[in-house]
Amino acid sequence: MAREGPTTPEAIGDGSGNRVARTFLRAIAAMNALGGVWIAALMLLINADVFAREALTAPIRGISELVAMSIVGIVFLQIAHTLWSGRITRSDSLLDRLTRARPAAGHGLDALFHLAGAAVMAVLCWASLPYFSRALEEGEYVGALGDFTAPTWPIRLIILIGSGATSVTFLALAVRGARRAMRRSLP
């Protein structure tokens, strides 16, 4: 049974589609789009580096550092929207069977799964805050002085924002699952 993700603010709310939910959905969609643009830019940069290495025997400096940081940044920009749209990889065979046999239990278990995800992402966000602060205060960078350097604080900020947004998304999905479980358990 293929899972469809929620696509509207009503999917998490009481049907009112409030402004906060719409704004949040637009924000995570914009983050996802930014991640897609970043991927395209990264592909162009990598191809330019390959061309420079082969044709000019002069690689573009800092490509490996930029690629490594970019992968992390892209993941955290896109994870909340991926979760919201139901495209996060997970094994649903047991959950699907349980939901068909006992809808309240299946939706309740799904709510618990999302609640655990919210907790994990909240812990990640909280644990990342000191790293972001230190990177910003101390001017932390990757690369080698005199060759190539890039500050790490933008990526650390993206980790904070992305993990926070994903935690909120998990919470919204947990609320949706709990509401479905309660509706199914009522006579």
Side-chain angles (χ1 to χ4, degrees):
M1 181 164 111
R3 236 175 24 96
E4 287 187 28
T7 57
T8 63
E10 292 80 13
I12 60 169
D14 57 3
S16 64
N18 64 46
R19 187 179 313 166
V20 173
R22 283 192 306 272
T23 302
F24 180 74
L25 291 178
R26 282 189 202 113
I28 64 173
M31 289 167 55
N32 186 49
L34 180 59
V37 169
W38 196 345
I39 289 169
L42 197 58
M43 288 176 16
L44 290 172
L45 189 60
I46 291 169
N47 282 313
D49 180 52
V50 169
F51 176 77
R53 285 176 188 271
E54 293 300 318
L56 310 172
T57 63
I60 298 174
R61 297 186 187 281
I63 290 295
S64 60
E65 290 89 351
L66 289 176
V67 169
M69 290 190 337
S70 292
I71 291 169
V72 174
I74 291 165
V75 166
F76 279 94
L77 280 174
Q78 294 187 323
I79 192 168
H81 189 264
T82 303
L83 174 65
W84 178 255
S85 59
R87 294 189 313 253
I88 286 283
T89 302
R90 72 183 218 180
S91 177
D92 286 348
S93 58
L94 175 65
L95 184 62
D96 290 344
R97 287 173 51 197
L98 180 61
T99 302
R100 280 193 300 271
R102 296 180 174 223
H107 290 299
L109 184 60
D110 194 42
L112 286 175
F113 166 79
H114 287 114
L115 197 57
V120 168
M121 294 309 284
V123 167
L124 178 62
C125 184
W126 180 256
S128 297
L129 187 58
Y131 292 99
F132 167 71
S133 297
R134 185 179 68 228
L136 193 59
E137 291 168 4
E138 296 177 5
E140 183 179 281
Y141 63 89
V142 295
L145 285 174
D147 183 35
F148 170 83
T149 60
T152 60
W153 71 264
I155 298 301
R156 300 211 185 269
L157 179 61
I158 291 170
I159 292 169
L160 280 173
I161 293 169
S163 58
T166 305
S167 183
V168 170
T169 304
F170 267 123
L171 276 176
L173 293 173
V175 168
R176 183 194 66 172
R179 286 183 177 162
R180 285 180 176 175
M182 287 189 284
R183 264 197 320 263
R184 304 287 185 184
S185 65
L186 296 176

